[in-house]
Amino acid sequence: MNYRDEDLIKLAFGELDETEAETLRKELAADAAASSQIGEYNWIKEGLSDLRPVPPMQYSTERLRDAILGEGLNVRKRNPLALILAWTPAGAFGVAAVITGVMLMRTGPESLVPANLQSETSLAQVAMQMDDLHRPLLAERAFRTLDDQVRASTEFKVGFAPVAEETAEPEPKDASPKVRFAAQPTRSAPAVRRETQRTLTPETPAAAPVMEVAAPETADAATEQAPPIVMIGSEDDARTGAPIATEVRFDANVVVGG
Amino acid sequence: MPMLWSAVSYALALAAQGSALSQSEARQIELTQRSIVTIVRSGRSTGSAVLIDGKRLLMAHQNAVGGAPVYARAWDGTQLQLVLLTTDAPTQLVLLRADKAVPGGTKLSVARSIGDKRLFAIVPDRAILAEHAGAGQMGVMNATQRLFTLNEIRFEAPASALAGAPVFNFRGELVGMLGATLEQPGEALADAGDPAPSAAMSMRARAKFGPGTMTVAYSLTADVIQRVVAGFLSPSLKVQHPVIGVLIRDAQGGGVLVEAVQENSPAAKAGLKTGDIILAMNNEEIGDKIAYGRFMARQEVGNRIILAIRRGGAQRSLSVRVGS
């Protein structure tokens, strides 16, 4: 005979009245499966009674909110002293900036340069002071070095000088991203050469400085095209109790189903 | 040096402001917690279950449940006994029935999409603020090797019993359930067998902020959760995930190579064979397994798909009805 789970549970938990309970007990005596089931429910009942006492619940909105803020969010209370200490360096920096500004206004930027450096001359000034015999040799060395940098470097060169009108070097057909970065500097080698020559010619004012900015790594530029695939394994993380996930590259040789 | 100090102190001030919780947000958390129960095994809280019918049916992660019998504690301290009704193997979510109605529980509202960046997750006996850090990532469930779209969820508070922790937006809509956590920094990169992890992966693995290590977790997307809930509430209790019954991998030169075809599956019935290369589905180019996964995620059971395949150098078309 089949019994409804709820009747068996009520019997086990003492929720039936005496008459109903007695009737059901008699019926169950002849039903081994149901007797086993009721035994399991009795076991559950004992288990429930062994549960830890439940702490008083947070009926009040305010108390619950405090509990969330205090335990769940781990909010850091602001210590006024800590706040003052944290912002003191900022104030000091501000004062230093004001003092520096006043100095600049009164004495000019030279006052910030150490005296020993003020006496040194720039490369362009050296070239200007050299006689005609030495100037070509120095210029040749200088622009060959820059030319080599442009060809071999994987760094962008962002300059204020205009981009050369001369034809840029052809891009290799099967260039990997790394090769492409090397073959496409923002300024071509001839333009750099002309700038070098201008720098070393006394009649021409020196070109604007060149700012160098590191290019992104080419391997990463390729992998950023798609996010990695998340592999969710069957092992669990002891810390979080959740299955462990690892990430593999989107182009990894993974077999998937569907 | 003064500039550095200034930057650091400003960042600290911003971080402190970012964790503030408004009164309406706290109220939303309180209301949401009424539809969540804490699962208790051997006197220890092992996870959370979310009420999906407003009465007695609850959904949880199988890691939280373990073996029967399962007990639970409602928000007001009411003790419940839970019976495992069914398990959805692809998502590892389980359906439980409580021996009595969860007091004060309301029917679950599942979001259409994750929407907001600011979220909260309910873990045993508390709520934690979380951040939606990325959408549309594809994940492979090892148990079935099925591809699912995942959301990346991050939070700062250290927490245990995270498996199946429900994640909500501050409108009180369920946006996901945590299905896995990223392996700890260092281990992930060492064990992945990947000689060149991307900069993003390295950065994420190393990323830390605030006083504790950041936890990176993944949740199933809201559309998958909606499908699971619909299945659990159906008379058959069966969840219908769209599949055609193949194992695939990326093919050289584009498309996906069929590694195996499941017996009596829709793919087998349509005549798909091991070694075929699927090039397109419903005229949509399938360049790799990710494209395949995204296409299948949009399908419904019963849809008919036209596959363009290459077999032995010749191209042909097959018609497959999506199964589950």
Side-chain angles (χ1 to χ4, degrees), chain A residues 151-198:
Chain A
R151 286 175 189 279
S153 170
T154 57
E155 293 175 338
F156 288 118
K157 292 189 182 298
V158 182
F160 302 109
V163 175
E165 306 76 20
E166 292 175 30
T167 310
E169 293 177 22
E171 180 183 343
K173 283 182 180 174
D174 57 344
S176 66
K178 190 162 190 169
V179 174
R180 235 179 279 130
F181 274 121
Q184 294 179 326
T186 53
R187 296 192 307 167
S188 67
V192 174
R193 187 177 300 125
R194 277 208 312 279
E195 283 175 35
T196 310
Q197 285 168 338
R198 276 204 304 273

mmCIF file of all heavy atoms in Angstrom, chain A residues 151-198:
data_model
loop_
_atom_site.group_PDB
_atom_site.id
_atom_site.type_symbol
_atom_site.label_atom_id
_atom_site.label_comp_id
_atom_site.label_asym_id
_atom_site.label_seq_id
_atom_site.Cartn_x
_atom_site.Cartn_y
_atom_site.Cartn_z
ATOM 1 N N ARG A 151 64.042 50.739 -37.840
ATOM 2 C CA ARG A 151 63.843 49.456 -38.523
ATOM 3 C C ARG A 151 63.653 48.316 -37.537
ATOM 4 O O ARG A 151 62.851 47.416 -37.753
ATOM 5 C CB ARG A 151 65.068 49.143 -39.394
ATOM 6 C CG ARG A 151 65.146 49.970 -40.651
ATOM 7 C CD ARG A 151 66.457 49.673 -41.371
ATOM 8 N NE ARG A 151 66.669 50.597 -42.466
ATOM 9 C CZ ARG A 151 66.111 50.466 -43.660
ATOM 10 N NH1 ARG A 151 65.309 49.470 -43.899
ATOM 11 N NH2 ARG A 151 66.331 51.351 -44.601
ATOM 12 N N ALA A 152 64.430 48.314 -36.475
ATOM 13 C CA ALA A 152 64.459 47.144 -35.603
ATOM 14 C C ALA A 152 63.544 47.250 -34.402
ATOM 15 O O ALA A 152 63.136 46.251 -33.836
ATOM 16 C CB ALA A 152 65.897 46.924 -35.124
ATOM 17 N N SER A 153 63.169 48.435 -34.014
ATOM 18 C CA SER A 153 62.439 48.592 -32.756
ATOM 19 C C SER A 153 60.990 48.176 -32.907
ATOM 20 O O SER A 153 60.395 48.283 -33.971
ATOM 21 C CB SER A 153 62.513 50.045 -32.310
ATOM 22 O OG SER A 153 61.627 50.232 -31.242
ATOM 23 N N THR A 154 60.389 47.693 -31.798
ATOM 24 C CA THR A 154 58.949 47.418 -31.792
ATOM 25 C C THR A 154 58.228 48.502 -31.028
ATOM 26 O O THR A 154 57.150 48.313 -30.520
ATOM 27 C CB THR A 154 58.664 46.065 -31.134
ATOM 28 O OG1 THR A 154 59.210 46.105 -29.834
ATOM 29 C CG2 THR A 154 59.244 44.936 -31.913
ATOM 30 N N GLU A 155 58.851 49.656 -30.894
ATOM 31 C CA GLU A 155 58.232 50.751 -30.159
ATOM 32 C C GLU A 155 57.671 51.780 -31.126
ATOM 33 O O GLU A 155 58.235 52.035 -32.178
ATOM 34 C CB GLU A 155 59.259 51.420 -29.266
ATOM 35 C CG GLU A 155 59.741 50.534 -28.149
ATOM 36 C CD GLU A 155 60.835 51.210 -27.371
ATOM 37 O OE1 GLU A 155 61.479 52.112 -27.910
ATOM 38 O OE2 GLU A 155 61.042 50.818 -26.230
ATOM 39 N N PHE A 156 56.524 52.329 -30.780
ATOM 40 C CA PHE A 156 55.999 53.463 -31.529
ATOM 41 C C PHE A 156 56.887 54.669 -31.272
ATOM 42 O O PHE A 156 57.408 54.837 -30.170
ATOM 43 C CB PHE A 156 54.592 53.824 -31.043
ATOM 44 C CG PHE A 156 53.559 52.830 -31.447
ATOM 45 C CD1 PHE A 156 52.842 52.134 -30.491
ATOM 46 C CD2 PHE A 156 53.304 52.592 -32.778
ATOM 47 C CE1 PHE A 156 51.887 51.237 -30.853
ATOM 48 C CE2 PHE A 156 52.326 51.690 -33.144
ATOM 49 C CZ PHE A 156 51.624 51.009 -32.186
ATOM 50 N N LYS A 157 57.029 55.502 -32.274
ATOM 51 C CA LYS A 157 57.699 56.776 -32.052
ATOM 52 C C LYS A 157 56.717 57.862 -32.424
ATOM 53 O O LYS A 157 56.345 58.008 -33.579
ATOM 54 C CB LYS A 157 58.964 56.866 -32.893
ATOM 55 C CG LYS A 157 60.046 55.893 -32.459
ATOM 56 C CD LYS A 157 61.335 56.167 -33.159
ATOM 57 C CE LYS A 157 62.383 55.140 -32.745
ATOM 58 N NZ LYS A 157 62.671 55.188 -31.338
ATOM 59 N N VAL A 158 56.257 58.556 -31.409
ATOM 60 C CA VAL A 158 55.282 59.606 -31.633
ATOM 61 C C VAL A 158 56.006 60.933 -31.592
ATOM 62 O O VAL A 158 56.588 61.297 -30.576
ATOM 63 C CB VAL A 158 54.195 59.582 -30.547
ATOM 64 C CG1 VAL A 158 53.154 60.655 -30.832
ATOM 65 C CG2 VAL A 158 53.548 58.205 -30.507
ATOM 66 N N GLY A 159 56.027 61.621 -32.709
ATOM 67 C CA GLY A 159 56.777 62.862 -32.765
ATOM 68 C C GLY A 159 55.893 64.036 -33.138
ATOM 69 O O GLY A 159 54.777 63.853 -33.591
ATOM 70 N N PHE A 160 56.421 65.204 -32.920
ATOM 71 C CA PHE A 160 55.682 66.403 -33.294
ATOM 72 C C PHE A 160 56.038 66.848 -34.697
ATOM 73 O O PHE A 160 55.407 67.703 -35.259
ATOM 74 C CB PHE A 160 55.971 67.517 -32.289
ATOM 75 C CG PHE A 160 55.611 67.128 -30.886
ATOM 76 C CD1 PHE A 160 56.579 66.887 -29.941
ATOM 77 C CD2 PHE A 160 54.285 66.937 -30.546
ATOM 78 C CE1 PHE A 160 56.235 66.498 -28.660
ATOM 79 C CE2 PHE A 160 53.949 66.558 -29.263
ATOM 80 C CZ PHE A 160 54.925 66.335 -28.323
ATOM 81 N N ALA A 161 57.130 66.299 -35.260
ATOM 82 C CA ALA A 161 57.532 66.667 -36.615
ATOM 83 C C ALA A 161 56.555 66.061 -37.607
ATOM 84 O O ALA A 161 55.940 65.044 -37.332
ATOM 85 C CB ALA A 161 58.936 66.136 -36.897
ATOM 86 N N PRO A 162 56.362 66.671 -38.810
ATOM 87 C CA PRO A 162 55.424 66.125 -39.795
ATOM 88 C C PRO A 162 55.892 64.778 -40.321
ATOM 89 O O PRO A 162 57.085 64.507 -40.394
ATOM 90 C CB PRO A 162 55.421 67.175 -40.897
ATOM 91 C CG PRO A 162 56.709 67.899 -40.724
ATOM 92 C CD PRO A 162 57.002 67.881 -39.274
ATOM 93 N N VAL A 163 54.935 63.939 -40.693
ATOM 94 C CA VAL A 163 55.255 62.622 -41.252
ATOM 95 C C VAL A 163 55.816 62.822 -42.654
ATOM 96 O O VAL A 163 55.362 63.690 -43.402
ATOM 97 C CB VAL A 163 53.988 61.747 -41.291
ATOM 98 C CG1 VAL A 163 54.267 60.432 -41.987
ATOM 99 C CG2 VAL A 163 53.492 61.520 -39.884
ATOM 100 N N ALA A 164 56.805 62.038 -43.021
ATOM 101 C CA ALA A 164 57.478 62.227 -44.300
ATOM 102 C C ALA A 164 56.541 61.977 -45.469
ATOM 103 O O ALA A 164 55.659 61.129 -45.397
ATOM 104 C CB ALA A 164 58.659 61.261 -44.387
ATOM 105 N N GLU A 165 56.756 62.722 -46.557
ATOM 106 C CA GLU A 165 55.960 62.514 -47.766
ATOM 107 C C GLU A 165 56.516 61.352 -48.576
ATOM 108 O O GLU A 165 55.862 60.829 -49.452
ATOM 109 C CB GLU A 165 55.978 63.765 -48.650
ATOM 110 C CG GLU A 165 55.577 65.066 -47.992
ATOM 111 C CD GLU A 165 56.678 65.623 -47.113
ATOM 112 O OE1 GLU A 165 57.858 65.238 -47.290
ATOM 113 O OE2 GLU A 165 56.353 66.410 -46.241
ATOM 114 N N GLU A 166 57.742 60.940 -48.282
ATOM 115 C CA GLU A 166 58.361 59.869 -49.068
ATOM 116 C C GLU A 166 57.655 58.544 -48.813
ATOM 117 O O GLU A 166 57.051 58.321 -47.770
ATOM 118 C CB GLU A 166 59.835 59.745 -48.682
ATOM 119 C CG GLU A 166 60.628 60.962 -49.114
ATOM 120 C CD GLU A 166 62.061 60.890 -48.632
ATOM 121 O OE1 GLU A 166 62.559 59.756 -48.514
ATOM 122 O OE2 GLU A 166 62.653 61.939 -48.373
ATOM 123 N N THR A 167 57.759 57.646 -49.806
ATOM 124 C CA THR A 167 57.058 56.370 -49.727
ATOM 125 C C THR A 167 57.566 55.561 -48.534
ATOM 126 O O THR A 167 58.770 55.424 -48.351
ATOM 127 C CB THR A 167 57.294 55.553 -51.002
ATOM 128 O OG1 THR A 167 57.016 56.415 -52.086
ATOM 129 C CG2 THR A 167 56.410 54.330 -51.047
ATOM 130 N N ALA A 168 56.625 55.042 -47.753
ATOM 131 C CA ALA A 168 57.014 54.226 -46.606
ATOM 132 C C ALA A 168 57.485 52.871 -47.079
ATOM 133 O O ALA A 168 57.173 52.445 -48.192
ATOM 134 C CB ALA A 168 55.822 54.053 -45.673
ATOM 135 N N GLU A 169 58.205 52.190 -46.230
ATOM 136 C CA GLU A 169 58.705 50.874 -46.605
ATOM 137 C C GLU A 169 57.547 49.901 -46.761
ATOM 138 O O GLU A 169 56.584 49.938 -45.989
ATOM 139 C CB GLU A 169 59.650 50.371 -45.518
ATOM 140 C CG GLU A 169 60.921 51.196 -45.452
ATOM 141 C CD GLU A 169 61.826 50.736 -44.332
ATOM 142 O OE1 GLU A 169 61.669 49.574 -43.925
ATOM 143 O OE2 GLU A 169 62.656 51.522 -43.879
ATOM 144 N N PRO A 170 57.604 49.011 -47.790
ATOM 145 C CA PRO A 170 56.468 48.086 -48.015
ATOM 146 C C PRO A 170 56.321 47.121 -46.856
ATOM 147 O O PRO A 170 57.302 46.702 -46.249
ATOM 148 C CB PRO A 170 56.858 47.346 -49.295
ATOM 149 C CG PRO A 170 58.336 47.486 -49.386
ATOM 150 C CD PRO A 170 58.677 48.797 -48.761
ATOM 151 N N GLU A 171 55.058 46.769 -46.584
ATOM 152 C CA GLU A 171 54.763 45.836 -45.490
ATOM 153 C C GLU A 171 54.945 44.412 -45.980
ATOM 154 O O GLU A 171 54.491 44.074 -47.069
ATOM 155 C CB GLU A 171 53.314 46.031 -45.055
ATOM 156 C CG GLU A 171 52.910 45.119 -43.934
ATOM 157 C CD GLU A 171 51.445 45.316 -43.621
ATOM 158 O OE1 GLU A 171 50.878 46.336 -44.031
ATOM 159 O OE2 GLU A 171 50.888 44.422 -42.973
ATOM 160 N N PRO A 172 55.635 43.558 -45.213
ATOM 161 C CA PRO A 172 55.787 42.147 -45.633
ATOM 162 C C PRO A 172 54.426 41.499 -45.786
ATOM 163 O O PRO A 172 53.512 41.743 -45.004
ATOM 164 C CB PRO A 172 56.569 41.520 -44.469
ATOM 165 C CG PRO A 172 57.178 42.661 -43.755
ATOM 166 C CD PRO A 172 56.292 43.822 -43.968
ATOM 167 N N LYS A 173 54.299 40.615 -46.807
ATOM 168 C CA LYS A 173 52.996 40.032 -47.115
ATOM 169 C C LYS A 173 52.470 39.150 -45.993
ATOM 170 O O LYS A 173 51.310 39.169 -45.655
ATOM 171 C CB LYS A 173 53.092 39.216 -48.404
ATOM 172 C CG LYS A 173 53.101 40.109 -49.638
ATOM 173 C CD LYS A 173 53.151 39.286 -50.888
ATOM 174 C CE LYS A 173 53.165 40.212 -52.098
ATOM 175 N NZ LYS A 173 53.345 39.464 -53.351
ATOM 176 N N ASP A 174 53.388 38.320 -45.452
ATOM 177 C CA ASP A 174 52.909 37.388 -44.426
ATOM 178 C C ASP A 174 53.413 37.816 -43.053
ATOM 179 O O ASP A 174 53.787 37.006 -42.234
ATOM 180 C CB ASP A 174 53.393 35.966 -44.757
ATOM 181 C CG ASP A 174 54.898 35.924 -44.874
ATOM 182 O OD1 ASP A 174 55.512 37.026 -44.998
ATOM 183 O OD2 ASP A 174 55.459 34.847 -44.822
ATOM 184 N N ALA A 175 53.403 39.107 -42.837
ATOM 185 C CA ALA A 175 53.957 39.592 -41.576
ATOM 186 C C ALA A 175 53.076 39.188 -40.407
ATOM 187 O O ALA A 175 51.857 39.300 -40.465
ATOM 188 C CB ALA A 175 54.070 41.101 -41.627
ATOM 189 N N SER A 176 53.704 38.711 -39.352
ATOM 190 C CA SER A 176 52.986 38.490 -38.115
ATOM 191 C C SER A 176 52.747 39.858 -37.499
ATOM 192 O O SER A 176 53.358 40.838 -37.919
ATOM 193 C CB SER A 176 53.839 37.626 -37.177
ATOM 194 O OG SER A 176 54.965 38.371 -36.825
ATOM 195 N N PRO A 177 51.860 39.962 -36.499
ATOM 196 C CA PRO A 177 51.608 41.264 -35.891
ATOM 197 C C PRO A 177 52.885 41.943 -35.405
ATOM 198 O O PRO A 177 53.028 43.139 -35.529
ATOM 199 C CB PRO A 177 50.680 40.926 -34.726
ATOM 200 C CG PRO A 177 49.990 39.683 -35.167
ATOM 201 C CD PRO A 177 50.983 38.936 -36.004
ATOM 202 N N LYS A 178 53.831 41.152 -34.920
ATOM 203 C CA LYS A 178 55.051 41.737 -34.400
ATOM 204 C C LYS A 178 55.826 42.399 -35.533
ATOM 205 O O LYS A 178 56.317 43.519 -35.408
ATOM 206 C CB LYS A 178 55.891 40.654 -33.738
ATOM 207 C CG LYS A 178 57.055 41.209 -32.955
ATOM 208 C CD LYS A 178 57.576 40.185 -32.001
ATOM 209 C CE LYS A 178 58.570 40.814 -31.054
ATOM 210 N NZ LYS A 178 58.913 39.952 -29.955
ATOM 211 N N VAL A 179 55.912 41.681 -36.681
ATOM 212 C CA VAL A 179 56.631 42.236 -37.818
ATOM 213 C C VAL A 179 55.929 43.492 -38.298
ATOM 214 O O VAL A 179 56.540 44.476 -38.664
ATOM 215 C CB VAL A 179 56.704 41.198 -38.947
ATOM 216 C CG1 VAL A 179 57.322 41.812 -40.191
ATOM 217 C CG2 VAL A 179 57.504 40.002 -38.480
ATOM 218 N N ARG A 180 54.620 43.499 -38.284
ATOM 219 C CA ARG A 180 53.861 44.640 -38.774
ATOM 220 C C ARG A 180 54.147 45.901 -37.932
ATOM 221 O O ARG A 180 54.289 46.968 -38.450
ATOM 222 C CB ARG A 180 52.369 44.319 -38.758
ATOM 223 C CG ARG A 180 51.753 44.529 -40.126
ATOM 224 C CD ARG A 180 50.303 44.185 -40.123
ATOM 225 N NE ARG A 180 50.085 42.766 -40.254
ATOM 226 C CZ ARG A 180 49.314 42.055 -39.476
ATOM 227 N NH1 ARG A 180 48.678 42.627 -38.496
ATOM 228 N NH2 ARG A 180 49.165 40.775 -39.668
ATOM 229 N N PHE A 181 54.254 45.716 -36.624
ATOM 230 C CA PHE A 181 54.568 46.867 -35.784
ATOM 231 C C PHE A 181 55.928 47.432 -36.172
ATOM 232 O O PHE A 181 56.104 48.626 -36.272
ATOM 233 C CB PHE A 181 54.600 46.471 -34.302
ATOM 234 C CG PHE A 181 53.250 46.530 -33.667
ATOM 235 C CD1 PHE A 181 52.683 45.408 -33.095
ATOM 236 C CD2 PHE A 181 52.542 47.712 -33.668
ATOM 237 C CE1 PHE A 181 51.445 45.471 -32.526
ATOM 238 C CE2 PHE A 181 51.292 47.778 -33.090
ATOM 239 C CZ PHE A 181 50.745 46.648 -32.530
ATOM 240 N N ALA A 182 56.896 46.511 -36.437
ATOM 241 C CA ALA A 182 58.227 46.967 -36.754
ATOM 242 C C ALA A 182 58.259 47.672 -38.106
ATOM 243 O O ALA A 182 59.014 48.599 -38.322
ATOM 244 C CB ALA A 182 59.186 45.776 -36.773
ATOM 245 N N ALA A 183 57.410 47.242 -39.031
ATOM 246 C CA ALA A 183 57.440 47.788 -40.376
ATOM 247 C C ALA A 183 56.617 49.053 -40.509
ATOM 248 O O ALA A 183 56.638 49.684 -41.539
ATOM 249 C CB ALA A 183 56.934 46.746 -41.354
ATOM 250 N N GLN A 184 55.868 49.418 -39.504
ATOM 251 C CA GLN A 184 55.008 50.590 -39.618
ATOM 252 C C GLN A 184 55.239 51.577 -38.480
ATOM 253 O O GLN A 184 54.370 51.792 -37.655
ATOM 254 C CB GLN A 184 53.539 50.161 -39.618
ATOM 255 C CG GLN A 184 53.171 49.357 -40.845
ATOM 256 C CD GLN A 184 51.736 48.944 -40.789
ATOM 257 O OE1 GLN A 184 51.210 48.691 -39.720
ATOM 258 N NE2 GLN A 184 51.091 48.894 -41.927
ATOM 259 N N PRO A 185 56.418 52.137 -38.411
ATOM 260 C CA PRO A 185 56.608 53.194 -37.411
ATOM 261 C C PRO A 185 55.793 54.410 -37.817
ATOM 262 O O PRO A 185 55.421 54.555 -38.979
ATOM 263 C CB PRO A 185 58.115 53.480 -37.497
ATOM 264 C CG PRO A 185 58.475 53.112 -38.889
ATOM 265 C CD PRO A 185 57.586 51.972 -39.273
ATOM 266 N N THR A 186 55.499 55.262 -36.857
ATOM 267 C CA THR A 186 54.692 56.432 -37.194
ATOM 268 C C THR A 186 55.480 57.423 -38.039
ATOM 269 O O THR A 186 54.918 58.277 -38.666
ATOM 270 C CB THR A 186 54.208 57.125 -35.916
ATOM 271 O OG1 THR A 186 55.351 57.384 -35.109
ATOM 272 C CG2 THR A 186 53.219 56.265 -35.186
ATOM 273 N N ARG A 187 56.787 57.294 -38.034
ATOM 274 C CA ARG A 187 57.576 58.141 -38.913
ATOM 275 C C ARG A 187 58.495 57.243 -39.710
ATOM 276 O O ARG A 187 59.059 56.287 -39.192
ATOM 277 C CB ARG A 187 58.416 59.122 -38.096
ATOM 278 C CG ARG A 187 57.578 60.090 -37.306
ATOM 279 C CD ARG A 187 58.409 61.196 -36.764
ATOM 280 N NE ARG A 187 59.550 60.653 -36.018
ATOM 281 C CZ ARG A 187 60.564 61.412 -35.648
ATOM 282 N NH1 ARG A 187 60.604 62.666 -35.979
ATOM 283 N NH2 ARG A 187 61.540 60.899 -34.952
ATOM 284 N N SER A 188 58.696 57.534 -40.986
ATOM 285 C CA SER A 188 59.566 56.693 -41.804
ATOM 286 C C SER A 188 61.021 57.056 -41.551
ATOM 287 O O SER A 188 61.338 58.133 -41.050
ATOM 288 C CB SER A 188 59.229 56.893 -43.272
ATOM 289 O OG SER A 188 59.579 58.192 -43.644
ATOM 290 N N ALA A 189 61.924 56.149 -41.957
ATOM 291 C CA ALA A 189 63.350 56.366 -41.752
ATOM 292 C C ALA A 189 63.845 57.626 -42.450
ATOM 293 O O ALA A 189 64.605 58.398 -41.855
ATOM 294 C CB ALA A 189 64.106 55.139 -42.242
ATOM 295 N N PRO A 190 63.430 57.893 -43.698
ATOM 296 C CA PRO A 190 63.920 59.128 -44.340
ATOM 297 C C PRO A 190 63.535 60.375 -43.569
ATOM 298 O O PRO A 190 64.295 61.328 -43.486
ATOM 299 C CB PRO A 190 63.244 59.081 -45.704
ATOM 300 C CG PRO A 190 62.977 57.632 -45.952
ATOM 301 C CD PRO A 190 62.678 57.056 -44.615
ATOM 302 N N ALA A 191 62.343 60.383 -42.976
ATOM 303 C CA ALA A 191 61.925 61.568 -42.229
ATOM 304 C C ALA A 191 62.822 61.779 -41.021
ATOM 305 O O ALA A 191 63.225 62.902 -40.712
ATOM 306 C CB ALA A 191 60.477 61.425 -41.785
ATOM 307 N N VAL A 192 63.167 60.686 -40.367
ATOM 308 C CA VAL A 192 64.058 60.784 -39.206
ATOM 309 C C VAL A 192 65.416 61.297 -39.654
ATOM 310 O O VAL A 192 66.049 62.121 -38.996
ATOM 311 C CB VAL A 192 64.182 59.411 -38.525
ATOM 312 C CG1 VAL A 192 65.216 59.470 -37.414
ATOM 313 C CG2 VAL A 192 62.831 58.984 -37.988
ATOM 314 N N ARG A 193 65.845 60.812 -40.836
ATOM 315 C CA ARG A 193 67.158 61.236 -41.329
ATOM 316 C C ARG A 193 67.155 62.746 -41.576
ATOM 317 O O ARG A 193 68.078 63.446 -41.219
ATOM 318 C CB ARG A 193 67.476 60.482 -42.622
ATOM 319 C CG ARG A 193 68.897 60.718 -43.118
ATOM 320 C CD ARG A 193 69.194 59.892 -44.355
ATOM 321 N NE ARG A 193 69.058 58.479 -44.100
ATOM 322 C CZ ARG A 193 68.273 57.662 -44.796
ATOM 323 N NH1 ARG A 193 67.527 58.122 -45.771
ATOM 324 N NH2 ARG A 193 68.211 56.381 -44.514
ATOM 325 N N ARG A 194 66.083 63.237 -42.184
ATOM 326 C CA ARG A 194 66.024 64.676 -42.468
ATOM 327 C C ARG A 194 66.035 65.484 -41.176
ATOM 328 O O ARG A 194 66.684 66.512 -41.052
ATOM 329 C CB ARG A 194 64.754 65.007 -43.271
ATOM 330 C CG ARG A 194 64.920 64.773 -44.762
ATOM 331 C CD ARG A 194 64.012 65.697 -45.530
ATOM 332 N NE ARG A 194 62.656 65.716 -45.036
ATOM 333 C CZ ARG A 194 61.743 64.803 -45.342
ATOM 334 N NH1 ARG A 194 62.060 63.811 -46.143
ATOM 335 N NH2 ARG A 194 60.542 64.883 -44.850
ATOM 336 N N GLU A 195 65.302 64.968 -40.168
ATOM 337 C CA GLU A 195 65.271 65.675 -38.891
ATOM 338 C C GLU A 195 66.661 65.723 -38.271
ATOM 339 O O GLU A 195 67.073 66.731 -37.718
ATOM 340 C CB GLU A 195 64.317 64.978 -37.920
ATOM 341 C CG GLU A 195 62.872 65.257 -38.207
ATOM 342 C CD GLU A 195 61.997 64.442 -37.295
ATOM 343 O OE1 GLU A 195 62.374 64.225 -36.143
ATOM 344 O OE2 GLU A 195 60.961 64.011 -37.772
ATOM 345 N N THR A 196 67.376 64.607 -38.390
ATOM 346 C CA THR A 196 68.723 64.540 -37.834
ATOM 347 C C THR A 196 69.612 65.569 -38.506
ATOM 348 O O THR A 196 70.378 66.279 -37.860
ATOM 349 C CB THR A 196 69.300 63.131 -38.038
ATOM 350 O OG1 THR A 196 68.357 62.196 -37.596
ATOM 351 C CG2 THR A 196 70.610 62.971 -37.283
ATOM 352 N N GLN A 197 69.458 65.639 -39.835
ATOM 353 C CA GLN A 197 70.274 66.595 -40.563
ATOM 354 C C GLN A 197 69.936 68.020 -40.142
ATOM 355 O O GLN A 197 70.806 68.850 -39.971
ATOM 356 C CB GLN A 197 70.056 66.413 -42.072
ATOM 357 C CG GLN A 197 70.764 65.169 -42.586
ATOM 358 C CD GLN A 197 70.349 64.797 -43.984
ATOM 359 O OE1 GLN A 197 69.270 65.196 -44.423
ATOM 360 N NE2 GLN A 197 71.178 64.045 -44.667
ATOM 361 N N ARG A 198 68.649 68.280 -39.940
ATOM 362 C CA ARG A 198 68.253 69.621 -39.509
ATOM 363 C C ARG A 198 68.863 69.945 -38.145
ATOM 364 O O ARG A 198 69.335 71.034 -37.901
ATOM 365 C CB ARG A 198 66.723 69.720 -39.427
ATOM 366 C CG ARG A 198 66.060 70.042 -40.757
ATOM 367 C CD ARG A 198 64.718 70.678 -40.513
ATOM 368 N NE ARG A 198 63.844 69.872 -39.699
ATOM 369 C CZ ARG A 198 63.049 68.933 -40.175
ATOM 370 N NH1 ARG A 198 63.039 68.687 -41.471
ATOM 371 N NH2 ARG A 198 62.273 68.249 -39.396
#
